[in-house]
Amino acid sequence: MTKLSAGIIIIGDEILSGRTQDTNSNFIANHLIKSGIQLTQISVIQDLEDIIIKKVIEYSNEYTYVFTTGGIGPTHDDITSQSIAKAFNREYSFHPEAFKILKNYYPEGQFNEGRQRMAKMPSGVELIHNPVTVAPGFKIENVFVLPGVPEIMKKMFLNVLENIEKGEPKKTITINTNLYESTISLLLNDIQNKFSKCSIGSYPFFNFVSKKAGVNIVISSWTMDSLDEVVNDIENMIRLKGGKSSIV
């Protein structure tokens, strides 16, 4: 089976300034992993044409799928569509179907110049349906251009996901232990070396209310048929070190 990869480009000065929290990349990432598509990189970039062009070309050449969010609204700083048109050397003009969809949506006299801008796209794109506000996104080559508003983006992304090739989901198991990371780090490294086709990550935690601490050990693999042997080795190691463990 062909390995499917993806990159996410979050476009927006409001994300970089801290005014708006990015939740889109987390939502997309979770669904990609479940769909057997390996997310390799996420970039958060400014609303600047040169940066958008450079990053979109880079990602398009590198990954099976590219997802961008942000910058396709009606205001002057929404420059994603025209920047991507330049990235792929396409004409930037009104998309007839998008224009018709938007014109039919707004009451007579309210389809103003700003709203009309949302119908301007690179030539030859495939529209992505918007079930919330109707303003469509678009697909150009392997790049899916989506809005930044999370409630709208999520519905449009799920629609995209239904219609693209998917792979086998990533296998993931989390083991919780009351031992400290320093107690198990060397032995955990030995287990990782034994099972090179999986990834083993350790994530310490501390509960300030209960004063309890420990580690969550996350085992994941795209290629192994089963993680049972890895889990058994880790659970045995924890037991030998006098700790407790549970699958969470």
Side-chain angles (χ1 to χ4, degrees):
M1 180 178 290
T2 304
K3 181 180 178 181
L4 302 173
S5 61
I8 301 173
I9 305 172
I10 306 298
I11 303 169
D13 293 339
E14 71 278 6
I15 303 295
L16 292 168
S17 70
R19 292 193 305 272
T20 302
Q21 183 178 7
D22 167 43
T23 59
N24 288 333
S25 60
N26 179 262
F27 181 86
I28 294 172
N30 284 327
H31 283 81
L32 290 177
I33 289 174
K34 294 174 184 176
S35 300
I37 300 169
Q38 184 172 0
L39 176 61
T40 303
Q41 191 170 178
I42 301 172
S43 290
V44 182
I45 63 174
Q46 294 173 275
D47 290 299
L48 291 175
E49 184 178 275
D50 289 347
I51 294 175
I52 295 171
I53 291 172
K54 180 180 178 181
K55 190 60 65 176
V56 166
I57 292 173
E58 175 192 334
Y59 272 42
S60 179
N61 290 332
E62 185 73 20
Y63 305 120
T64 312
Y65 304 119
V66 181
F67 303 93
T68 78
T69 74
I72 61 171
T75 60
H76 71 281
D77 57 344
D78 289 313
I79 62 168
T80 297
S81 296
Q82 64 195 67
S83 301
I84 290 178
K86 290 186 178 181
F88 290 103
N89 296 312
R90 302 280 186 93
E91 180 186 358
Y92 176 63
S93 58
F94 287 113
H95 188 290
E97 185 181 350
F99 193 92
K100 182 179 179 181
I101 290 170
L102 286 160
K103 185 177 181 180
N104 290 339
Y105 177 75
Y106 290 105
E108 185 71 28
Q110 294 188 28
F111 188 38
N112 57 37
E113 184 177 349
R115 288 165 172 167
Q116 290 176 26
R117 289 186 76 247
M118 296 188 290
K120 294 191 77 173
M121 303 172 182
S123 60
V125 301
E126 177 183 333
L127 295 185
I128 299 174
H129 175 61
N130 177 348
V132 183
T133 62
V134 310
F138 61 87
K139 173 183 179 290
I140 179 168
E141 297 194 14
N142 62 336
V143 179
F144 298 85
V145 181
L146 301 166
V149 180
E151 292 76 12
I152 303 173
M153 192 288 302
K154 290 176 182 179
K155 292 183 180 297
M156 293 174 68
F157 172 76
L158 291 176
N159 180 56
V160 167
L161 196 59
E162 287 182 2
N163 296 288
I164 62 175
E165 181 184 358
K166 293 175 278 291
E168 289 295 323
K170 188 179 186 181
K171 296 178 180 65
T172 303
I173 293 177
T174 300
I175 301 174
N176 174 275
T177 177
N178 62 330
L179 296 178
Y180 289 105
E181 195 173 35
S182 57
T183 304
I184 62 174
S185 60
L186 294 178
L187 293 172
L188 204 58
N189 184 63
D190 291 339
I191 297 173
Q192 174 67 88
N193 290 334
K194 179 180 176 182
F195 298 100
S196 59
K197 291 184 178 181
C198 77
S199 173
I200 302 173
S202 61
Y203 305 95
F205 65 86
F206 183 81
N207 189 313
F208 288 93
V209 177
S210 64
K211 304 297 182 183
K212 292 182 179 179
V215 179
N216 285 318
I217 303 168
V218 180
I219 312 158
S220 60
S221 176
W222 289 100
T223 58
M224 294 180 68
D225 293 330
S226 172
L227 299 177
D228 290 349
E229 191 175 353
V230 189
V231 171
N232 288 338
D233 275 19
I234 292 174
E235 288 180 329
N236 288 336
M237 177 268 290
I238 291 171
R239 185 165 54 253
L240 289 173
K241 297 298 289 185
K244 298 178 181 180
S245 66
S246 61
I247 304 293
V248 296

